[in-house]
Amino acid sequence: MDRAPGPSVRLRLTLTYAGFLMVAGALLLATVWGFLLRDVQVVSHGPGDFTPVSAVLLRSYLPATVGVMAFLLVFGLVGGWILAGRMLAPLRRITDATRLASAGSLSHRIRLPGRADEFRELADAFDSMLARIEAHVAEQQRFAANASHELRTPLAISKALLDVARTDPGRDPGELVDRLHVVNTRAIDLTEALLVLGRADRRAFARERVDLSLVAEEAAETLLPLAEKRRVSLETDGDIAPVLGSPALLLLLTTNLVQNAIVHNLPEHGEVRVRAGASAGGGVVLTVENTGDRLAPELVATLTEPFRRGTERVHTDHAGVGLGLAIVQSIARAHDGALTLTARPAGGLRAVVEFPAEARPGS
Ligand SMILES: Nc1ncnc2c1ncn2[C@@H]1O[C@H](COP(=O)(O)OP(=O)(O)OP(=O)(O)O)[C@@H](O)[C@H]1O
Ligand SMILES: [Mg+2]
């Protein structure tokens, strides 16, 4: 915003300081004068005596008074200027940092030294805001880079398949069509996943009362054929678990967790347990647990990042996008819930999504 230039805060503080000093000095001197004059009146005998004595007083004290006032003025102006400068110095650092940040340098921090006061609180709040924005921007950049990389892959595969078909017309076109179909489906899945992620992040969905235990049952039922194919036993139980949210997104959240639990499981005799119910804090909790390889806690902490896949893929032919858990997390957050992943000591993963106590619609 363009503003007309005005007097600086430092100048205004200086003038205020000097002004107060002058007023206080004048009051003090007036009081002294008042007492002096009264005493002179008491000491002098009769009205004839009074005038010359006060005239003498006036003559000898007036220059001193003027001198004192002049000194106070200079002292007030100089002292006020220095004091205001010192008081406002942190503000200059904060302003400089703000200018740098608005010019795009998010890595700069104010780091104001000293004990807590209003300026330091402001500087600290500003520093933590910058740190959050910087992390957020970095995450967005990483996300955009990963998304374009992942979207490029199916397109590059299609192009390679088409190139081969063009140079070798004798090949079976049916095979080409099948492979192109697979690659294309994967690209569509990826795009849809990205759209869901954006929709959940923006919280752009209608909310209604949903029983999470029914949602969990539905997800388990849909995925039962997959579990059977992978010879994983799937067990669900739970009681009424009301959540205020989007049925479609909550189903997606549950399906992603259960699907993960099935596909990232043991090659034989895997087990999956799904449970939805009331949590101790009056909210709702969904737990999906599965057997599987032992997972390092450091790895588990990173699994919710978009496009993050577990390192070893020994037993499984499942080629995931790596967006499942990122979607689960952003759907949970959009419902004010939280996803917690823990590596089970015996191997496999426990995913817990906790939703807060149901908020009244419209509140
Ligand atoms: N229940 C689980 N048990 C063990 N490992 C898991 C489990 N869920 C996720 N993982 C690990 O976390 C990684 C990320 O999971 P995520 O769901 O985000 O991606 P994905 O399953 O690989 O792909 P998709 O986008 O198709 O879901 C997986 O690749 C897997 O290594
Ligand atoms: Mg997954």
Side-chain angles (χ1 to χ4, degrees):
M1 201 194 295
D2 270 343
R3 294 182 197 268
S8 72
V9 173
R10 187 176 188 182
L11 182 65
R12 273 165 24 212
L13 278 177
T14 306
L15 291 179
T16 314
Y17 182 73
F20 271 118
L21 211 59
M22 296 290 289
V23 170
L27 278 177
L28 195 66
L29 287 173
T31 317
V32 172
W33 263 101
F35 276 113
L36 271 179
L37 284 177
R38 200 190 61 184
D39 290 349
V40 163
Q41 265 173 331
V42 173
V43 173
S44 63
H45 306 287
D49 238 6
F50 172 74
T51 321
V53 178
S54 71
V56 170
L57 261 181
L58 206 66
R59 224 177 298 129
S60 59
Y61 281 103
L62 195 63
T65 310
V66 172
V68 167
M69 289 306 283
F71 171 76
L72 281 183
L73 180 64
V74 174
F75 183 76
L77 286 176
V78 174
W81 185 255
I82 294 171
L83 265 181
R86 288 192 57 169
M87 294 283 287
L88 293 175
L91 204 58
R92 177 139 295 284
R93 279 181 69 165
I94 297 174
T95 313
D96 288 346
T98 318
R99 288 228 175 86
L100 279 175
S102 68
S105 157
L106 293 176
S107 57
H108 181 76
R109 298 285 177 277
I110 307 171
R111 287 202 190 88
L112 214 55
R115 295 190 189 207
D117 63 14
E118 287 88 338
F119 282 129
R120 270 126 200 113
E121 265 171 39
L122 175 65
D124 291 350
F126 190 79
D127 277 351
S128 61
M129 184 187 80
L130 272 184
R132 281 192 52 188
I133 294 179
E134 194 186 12
H136 194 72
V137 168
E139 195 187 310
Q140 295 274 318
Q141 283 170 347
R142 218 169 35 237
F143 181 79
N146 285 337
S148 25
H149 176 260
E150 295 289 329
L151 279 168
R152 247 188 81 183
T153 310
L155 293 174
I157 297 174
S158 310
K159 183 166 179 285
L161 287 173
L162 290 170
D163 281 347
V164 168
R166 194 163 54 183
T167 51
D168 183 5
R171 273 173 85 110
D172 173 21
E175 193 199 326
L176 173 72
V177 169
D178 284 349
R179 289 178 69 181
L180 277 178
H181 188 263
V182 170
V183 175
N184 202 8
T185 310
R186 190 170 147 76
I188 292 171
D189 288 349
L190 179 61
T191 321
E192 265 164 13
L194 288 172
L195 284 176
V196 169
L197 212 54
R199 197 153 58 99
D201 281 343
R202 276 182 285 112
R203 295 175 168 239
F205 53 86
R207 282 151 205 264
E208 60 188 76
R209 205 162 188 268
V210 186
D211 185 352
L212 205 60
S213 63
L214 294 182
V215 173
E217 254 168 52
E218 189 182 335
E221 218 173 279
T222 319
L223 289 165
L224 200 59
L226 180 69
E228 275 167 1
K229 191 175 141 214
R230 290 181 177 252
R231 286 190 291 279
V232 169
S233 76
L234 183 57
E235 199 183 293
T236 44
D237 75 311
D239 36 46
I240 298 173
V243 173
L244 195 67
S246 147
L249 287 179
L250 290 169
L251 180 62
L252 194 63
L253 173 146
T254 319
T255 312
N256 264 310
L257 285 179
V258 179
Q259 197 223 25
N260 273 349
I262 296 171
V263 297
H264 305 297
N265 211 316
L266 292 172
E268 290 287 335
H269 309 297
E271 287 170 30
V272 174
R273 254 200 307 274
V274 184
R275 216 198 106 75
S279 76
V284 159
V285 63
L286 170 76
T287 312
V288 181
E289 261 186 283
N290 59 281
T291 52
D293 293 338
R294 279 223 179 87
L295 298 166
E298 315 79 78
L299 175 76
V300 170
T302 64
L303 290 180
T304 50
E305 277 178 31
F307 305 106
R308 174 72 65 159
R309 278 159 234 162
T311 40
E312 76 283 20
R313 172 146 300 154
V314 196
H315 318 296
T316 162
D317 53 354
H318 167 82
V321 180
L323 279 179
L325 287 176
I327 288 176
V328 169
Q329 187 169 48
S330 73
I331 294 177
R333 278 192 190 148
H335 288 81
D336 301 314
L339 166 72
T340 322
L341 299 177
T342 17
R344 282 163 28 111
L349 193 76
R350 173 187 293 127
V352 179
V353 187
E354 276 193 87
F355 296 95
E358 189 191 346
R360 296 276 138 239
S363 69

